[in-house]
Amino acid sequence: VIGAGYYLYAHAADQYASKVGFSVRNEESSSAFDLLGSLTNVSGSSSTDTDILYKFIQSQEMVAAVDAALDLRTIYSKPDNDPVFTLAQGTSIEELVEYWAQMVRIVYDPGTGLIEVEVRAFDPEDARVIAQDLFARSSAMINQLSAVARADVTRYTQEDLDLALERLKKARQALTLFRNETQIVDPG
């Protein structure tokens, strides 16, 4: 305990934290099917955008993108006198992802959908820049997911409309044929 205390006091580099918190909101719109029986949620999927984002922040893809933009290996290997808490030179992407999990803490509350991310670094500016980059990439990913979802809903709705129009044409043709054959205006 004394040795660990001495190391933390005398050799360990100071770490600074930058926090960012955000919530992912879904715009929900009602369709005609909602009024007829709530048939719009047929997929059975339990993953929300927030769950996907939570995993994305921890992913190798995120770490590689932030590393390419900011050079995480240099940022996290700055203090020379702290071999325990700094990142070793020449680390692989897998080791960097493991180190990222120690330096980027994510708190996710599924009830509220709120994600709070704490980014730590050995320099306050580095922590702030990493947090901003992480937030920007997370926002872009969520916006991309939303765009794909909107395109899917629009396509499915258009297909439903085309099918309904085809049924209407057939029904009108059948009604016209009935009226012409029987000389009765009202089939009822």
Side-chain angles (χ1 to χ4, degrees):
V1 172
I2 292 171
Y6 172 75
Y7 182 83
L8 290 174
Y9 181 74
H11 293 288
D14 292 337
Q15 292 184 7
Y16 300 89
S18 182
K19 290 186 179 184
V20 62
F22 45 91
S23 177
V24 178
R25 300 265 187 236
N26 291 334
E27 291 184 25
E28 295 188 20
S29 60
S30 62
S31 67
F33 289 116
D34 288 339
L35 300 174
L36 297 175
S38 299
L39 299 174
T40 58
N41 191 11
V42 184
S43 68
S45 173
S46 63
S47 291
T48 65
D49 289 348
T50 312
D51 295 329
I52 294 167
L53 181 61
Y54 178 76
K55 291 294 186 185
F56 177 69
I57 292 171
Q58 299 173 6
S59 72
Q60 182 173 331
E61 179 183 353
M62 172 66 96
V63 175
V66 174
D67 182 41
L70 303 176
D71 193 13
L72 289 175
R73 289 176 175 93
T74 301
I75 289 173
Y76 286 133
S77 63
K78 278 185 181 175
D80 295 329
N81 63 338
D82 188 1
V84 174
F85 295 106
T86 56
L87 185 65
Q89 290 291 344
T91 58
S92 67
I93 187 66
E94 290 81 11
E95 293 168 324
L96 184 60
V97 169
E98 191 175 310
Y99 188 79
W100 174 268
Q102 296 172 7
M103 298 303 278
V104 176
R105 294 185 180 159
I106 307 164
V107 177
Y108 168 46
D109 182 3
T112 62
L114 182 68
I115 293 179
E116 183 176 88
V117 181
E118 178 185 84
V119 178
R120 291 182 291 134
F122 301 106
D123 180 74
E125 183 62 21
D126 289 340
R128 185 186 65 77
V129 169
I130 294 170
Q132 286 178 333
D133 191 67
L134 186 143
F135 178 73
R137 291 179 192 282
S138 298
S139 296
M141 196 271 299
I142 286 298
N143 290 339
Q144 181 183 9
L145 283 175
S146 296
V148 169
R150 276 192 303 274
D152 287 347
V153 167
T154 302
R155 186 179 77 241
Y156 294 142
T157 304
Q158 185 63 45
E159 289 172 359
D160 288 345
L161 176 63
D162 293 343
L163 181 63
L165 286 173
E166 189 61 35
R167 287 180 181 166
L168 178 63
K169 285 179 188 177
K170 287 181 180 179
R172 284 185 176 170
Q173 288 173 350
L175 181 62
T176 302
L177 182 64
F178 174 79
R179 287 178 179 166
N180 288 340
E181 288 178 357
T182 61
Q183 298 297 318
I184 301 174
V185 176
D186 184 13

